[in-house]
Structure formats: C-alpha cells, structure tokens
Amino acid sequence: MTEKTHNFVVTSIDARPTMSNPASLEEGKGNIQHVEHHSSQPRLMSDMIIGFSDGLTVPFALTAGISSLGSTKLVIMSGLAELFSGAISMGLGGYLGNKSEIEFYRRERHREQMEVDLFPEKEKEEIYDIFAEYEIDRESSRGVVESLARRKELWVDFMMKFELELMKPEDSRVWVSAVTIGLSYMISGIFPMIPYFIMKDATKALFVSIGITAFMLLSFGVVKSYMVATSRRQIVVGAIETLIVGAAAAGVSYGMVRGLDRATNF
C-alpha cells in the first residue's frame, strides 16, 4: 500500500471530521491530515487471488471425488499429480498472458509513435479531444498540448495512457506473475490433502478435508472481499459466495466419480 500525505495539520484528534458528523467534516477542512491509501500492487493481488481461488477448489474437488473410491493412497497420488501439474499450468498461463500483454503494448506503442511522427497535427487534435472529455477548452489546454508536442516520448506516453488507456507493463511481471500464481495454487491446494496424509480411512479424511477447506474458503473469501468491498455486508456475501463455489465444485466432482464407479464397477 502507498500513502500520500498532504501538508495539513491535525490540531487535535477530537477535531477530526467523520462521515457520521457532516458538520465536523465541514468545520475540519484544512485542519486535518489527508492520507490516501492506494494499492501499489493490484496485479500482484490479482495473481494471488487467481492462484488461491483455483488452488482451494480444483484439488479439493478432485480429492473429494477420488475419496469415494476408498483409497487414501490413490487420493494422495492423484492429488499430488494434479497439484504439481495444476501449479505449472497456472504459472505457465500467467507467464504467457503477461508476455502477450507486453508484446501487445510494444506493438501499439510503435504504431502510436509512427502516428505522432507522420500525422502530428491530427495527434494534437486527439489530445484536444481528450481534454474536451474533461470539459477543458482548447485555450486552456493549448499550453499542455504544445509542451507535449516538443517532447515526443512524453507525447507518446500520454497518448498510450489517455487515448488507448494502456499502462506500460513491467518486463518482470512475466516471471513474477508466473511464480505468484503457481505458488499460490500450490500452497492453497495442499490444505485439502492434509487429512489424507494423516488418516487411513478415506471417508473420515474426506470429512476432515471438507472442514479444513470450508474454513480456508471462508477465510480466503473474507480476505479477498476485504480488498475490494466497501461494506461489511459485501465482505460477508463475498465469503459465502466463495464457499458456495468451492462446495459446488467439490460436490459435482464427487458425484461424477461416485456415479462412474457404480456404473462401471472398476
């Protein structure tokens, strides 16, 4: 998280305005310390959420389904195979996805650079159009436009961000994303398997695994929702939704394996 602090002075703690007291909010203007909290690593959190979300549902669904066959050894071997292959697959997906994003950005930047070189007046008009969206007239924005026109790299940066709405991706994102997603998947996916390493009865291990996974899904849902929610109700709803999705995935997998076992008598 990053914090930006503006130079206001807090006269006293009691003088701080609150949303529940609008009068104090009005009276406290200019007398408070304004601290802005923004996430500096939104993509990192997104990758962690993707990895943890899949890691808590896919391995659990698989082990729950295979546990119907009654062999903890089979559950462990199948679960570990899925865990490693799933982590590699998820990490590879993150790698390829971010690499494609970088290549797409470079291609669009090269195209924008050519447009600035070949059609500068047309590109200037596009800047005026961008400012017009914010109700800034040509006269007010003329200085900014001419200043950008004298520095083409900044001009292209401006067009990439405000015309194409593309942020420059970091080259390190390719590997960071792959490792983050893969490790998150691996770490979260091992929890549903813990009972099968300890207990010999696959059915009993399944019930313990259900309890562990339910707790992890709820905890993960709370943390995930806390990052984006604006109220306690949204946090609760997000946690319950995460639990329901995980339970549904496990139930479908368990039912399919159970049904196939009865139908084929393997």
Side-chain angles (χ1 to χ4, degrees), residues 36-65:
E36 295 183 4
H37 298 275
H38 299 286
S39 173
S40 59
Q41 296 291 339
R43 295 296 300 273
L44 181 64
M45 289 190 295
S46 175
D47 289 340
M48 291 179 64
I49 289 174
I50 292 173
F52 272 104
S53 179
D54 283 4
L56 283 172
T57 54
V58 178
F60 172 55
L62 176 67
T63 54

Side-chain angles (χ1 to χ4, degrees), residues 59 62-63 66 74-84 189 193:
L62 176 67
T63 54
I66 296 177
L74 180 60
V75 172
I76 291 173
M77 296 303 294
S78 301
L80 288 176
E82 195 287 326
L83 197 59
F84 284 106
M193 297 182 58

Side-chain angles (χ1 to χ4, degrees), residues 213-229:
T213 307
F215 174 78
M216 292 298 298
L217 284 169
L218 280 172
S219 300
F220 170 70
V222 169
V223 174
K224 181 185 68 173
S225 300
Y226 180 78
M227 294 179 181
V228 297

